[in-house]
Amino acid sequence: MLRDSFGRVATDLRVSLTDKCNLRCTYCMPPEGLDWLPNAKLLTADEIVRLVTIGVERLGVTEVRYTGGEPLLRRELVDIVARTTTLSPKPQISLTTNGIGLARLAEPLAAAGLHRVNVSLDTLDAGTFKRLAHRDRHADVIDGLAAADAAGLRPVKVNTVLMRGINDHEAAPLLRWCLARGYELRFIEQMPLDAQHGWSRDDMVTADEILGLLSASFDLTPDDLEERGSAPAERFLVDGGPARVGVIGSVTRPFCGACDRVRLTADGQVRNCLFATEESDLKTAMRAGASDEELAERWMVAVSRKRAGHGIDDPSFLQPSRPMSAIGG
Ligand code: SAM
């Protein structure tokens, strides 16, 4: 098992398939993009499948989420999904994506065994989308969401980051829009993970503010608090339910004590936390000939060193040098 020194067990593996993205969301990366990892440094599809297999079959991983960068840009995505949904014990496999290309890929991904998707959508307005993501692709995201739903990749979850003065007036309209389509909306507090280091606490729309914005239009009641377990989102029944909305207060309501996540970057580094400053290099060991047993052992040692919390509120907090797109959000 992947147990840390505080007794937490990591069962939820986030795998970044690429650091590249076809959007330039302002809270993530600069308009000109970043220096992408060279292909030789990226894990190959076979290497990804091997590490996921070790995670599932030897280390107790029960959920695998493919992310990035933008995972739909990875050409072997359908193949990677197909090869990892058949592992035993069978893991839950999901995808976090900006939805561009999902209109084409939702069916093949569902056929490959993908269980569900989280699609990022910060606005209902195509002009705001273009300002925010520096690309004119709003319609593609909307089409991608519809295709995911039609392909049965449910529950279709929508991730939204609100930014002050940009899209914070859209909290209630976004929820209304998602409710009408049966999508489950989750708001994520903006975290200090942008490559430009432009995050500021004052600009961040907090979980309290989000709940205030929603409560002006909806009746929200806390849902399944007992059952929240390691889920990052606090969930609320909307107008008595059964529809729900989630709020992920990563900064102001951290949930590190129940964290069950571990991350694998596109270049094969194990990270215990989005905000970790240390990584453990599985790729170099693998390419030097390490056995599955040795890789599992390295992975266990890496997780045993997981820190108690992300420490954003600690005066000594340092933003990690890798931005979100390179870690895998
Ligand atoms: N490209 C995919 C996507 O758009 O969903 C997957 C990667 S993206 C890094 C994963 C999620 O992280 C998205 O929902 C995105 O909005 C969120 N995200 C990126 N930067 C963030 C930040 N600084 N704070 C909070 N969420 C962020």
Side-chain angles (χ1 to χ4, degrees):
M1 276 212 251
L2 293 170
R3 187 187 295 278
D4 67 34
S5 62
F6 300 93
R8 294 167 298 188
V9 177
T11 53
D12 180 345
L13 172 63
R14 309 281 163 111
V15 182
S16 174
L17 297 183
T18 174
D19 59 327
K20 295 190 189 68
C21 192
N22 40 7
L23 295 181
R24 300 286 182 270
C25 302
T26 47
Y27 48 75
C28 194
M29 65 172 81
E32 66 276 14
L34 297 167
D35 289 333
W36 311 122
L37 288 165
N39 279 347
K41 285 202 170 175
L42 291 181
L43 292 179
T44 64
D46 285 347
E47 288 171 335
I48 291 167
V49 172
R50 179 170 175 205
L51 290 178
V52 172
T53 305
I54 292 171
V56 170
E57 296 191 345
R58 292 176 181 253
L59 296 171
V61 166
T62 55
E63 285 178 53
V64 180
R65 171 91 61 92
Y66 294 115
T67 179
E70 176 44 50
L72 295 181
L73 294 179
R74 182 84 193 213
R75 250 181 294 141
E76 308 99 327
L77 173 64
V78 174
D79 175 53
I80 292 169
V81 168
R83 291 167 68 191
T84 47
T85 44
T86 50
L87 295 176
S88 175
K90 199 173 170 59
Q92 276 284 319
I93 307 265
S94 60
L95 185 71
T96 299
T97 170
N98 62 29
I100 297 170
L102 203 50
R104 180 174 54 84
L105 282 166
E107 275 292 346
L109 283 167
L114 186 75
H115 292 106
R116 52 168 212 83
V117 289
N118 281 35
V119 178
S120 305
L121 176 70
D122 297 326
T123 176
L124 297 174
D125 180 78
T128 305
F129 185 96
K130 194 173 169 190
R131 264 196 308 286
L132 206 156
H134 294 101
R135 298 287 184 274
D136 197 4
R137 307 298 298 270
H138 188 252
D140 296 312
V141 180
I142 305 296
D143 290 350
L145 271 161
D149 192 37
L153 297 172
R154 299 194 198 105
V156 173
K157 295 190 182 178
V158 173
N159 290 349
T160 298
V161 178
L162 290 182
M163 281 150 289
R164 205 175 295 293
I166 298 174
N167 62 345
D168 51 345
H169 59 288
E170 291 196 66
L174 273 161
L175 179 53
R176 211 168 282 120
W177 188 87
C178 286
L179 292 176
R181 288 157 183 80
Y183 306 155
E184 190 173 321
L185 177 60
R186 299 131 49 91
F187 292 96
I188 310 175
E189 277 181 349
Q190 187 179 347
M191 294 177 275
L193 284 169
D194 56 311
Q196 316 87 299
H197 291 222
W199 180 88
S200 96
R201 184 174 283 270
D202 292 342
D203 285 341
M204 176 185 66
V205 182
T206 64
D208 281 352
E209 287 177 80
I210 295 165
L211 291 171
L213 289 166
L214 295 176
S215 297
S217 303
F218 301 95
D219 182 27
L220 301 183
T221 42
D223 179 38
D224 70 18
L225 280 184
E226 256 93 342
E227 290 171 35
R228 182 176 171 193
S230 58
E234 283 178 66
R235 301 210 291 182
F236 298 84
L237 293 174
V238 182
D239 293 337
R244 285 178 292 208
V245 64
V247 178
I248 303 181
S250 317
V251 179
T252 64
R253 302 178 178 199
F255 34 85
C256 307
C259 179
D260 66 352
R261 281 167 288 286
V262 62
R263 294 167 194 276
L264 188 61
T265 65
D267 56 346
Q269 312 294 309
V270 171
R271 287 180 73 94
N272 284 318
C273 175
L274 281 173
F275 299 97
T277 47
E278 284 180 5
E279 299 180 338
S280 179
D281 185 356
L282 293 189
K283 183 192 70 195
T284 303
M286 182 162 48
R287 292 188 181 173
S291 66
D292 286 0
E293 211 171 335
E294 286 162 343
L295 291 170
E297 181 61 33
R298 271 177 178 262
W299 200 335
M300 284 192 290
V301 170
V303 169
S304 71
R305 296 187 183 134
K306 182 162 168 156
R307 288 185 307 171
H310 59 43
I312 296 178
D313 274 327
D314 194 297
S316 63
F317 173 75
L318 279 181
Q319 185 171 335
S321 51
R322 274 191 201 252
M324 178 74 125
S325 59
I327 297 170

